[in-house]
């Protein structure tokens, strides 16, 4: 929950103890910095862009 708050991601816990969250893909570097984000339900989601961003972040 603390990590979600740090990046402004909405997470709620229901009465049964289950968590609900937004459908986002967050790209976080090794220092915990948010480097990019993508809507998981975006019809134009570009998997190649996500993969390339991941490769770039891993090199930084």
């Amino acid at each position: 929950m603390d990590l979600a708050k740090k990046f402004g991601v909405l997470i709620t816990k229901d009465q049964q103890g289950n968590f609900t969250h937004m459908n986002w893909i967050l790209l976080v570097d090794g220092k915990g910095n948010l480097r990019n984000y993508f809507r998981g339900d975006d019809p134009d989601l570009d998997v190649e862009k996500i993969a390339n961003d991941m490769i770039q972040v891993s090199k930084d």
Side-chain angles (χ1 to χ4, degrees):
M1 297 277 290
D2 291 336
L3 184 61
K5 287 180 186 175
K6 179 179 177 181
F7 293 110
V9 176
L10 174 65
I11 293 181
T12 58
K13 191 173 183 181
D14 66 19
Q15 293 177 349
Q16 291 78 33
N18 299 312
F19 291 95
T20 302
H21 58 86
M22 295 170 38
N23 191 15
W24 289 89
I25 300 168
L26 303 177
L27 180 56
V28 180
D29 66 19
K31 296 179 182 176
N33 298 310
L34 179 63
R35 299 292 295 271
N36 206 345
Y37 58 91
F38 308 90
R39 281 187 33 218
D41 60 349
D42 182 352
D44 297 320
L45 185 65
D46 184 351
V47 177
E48 289 293 321
K49 165 102 172 94
I50 295 172
N52 289 333
D53 284 1
M54 290 173 67
I55 292 167
Q56 183 60 45
V57 167
S58 72
K59 293 178 180 179
D60 292 345

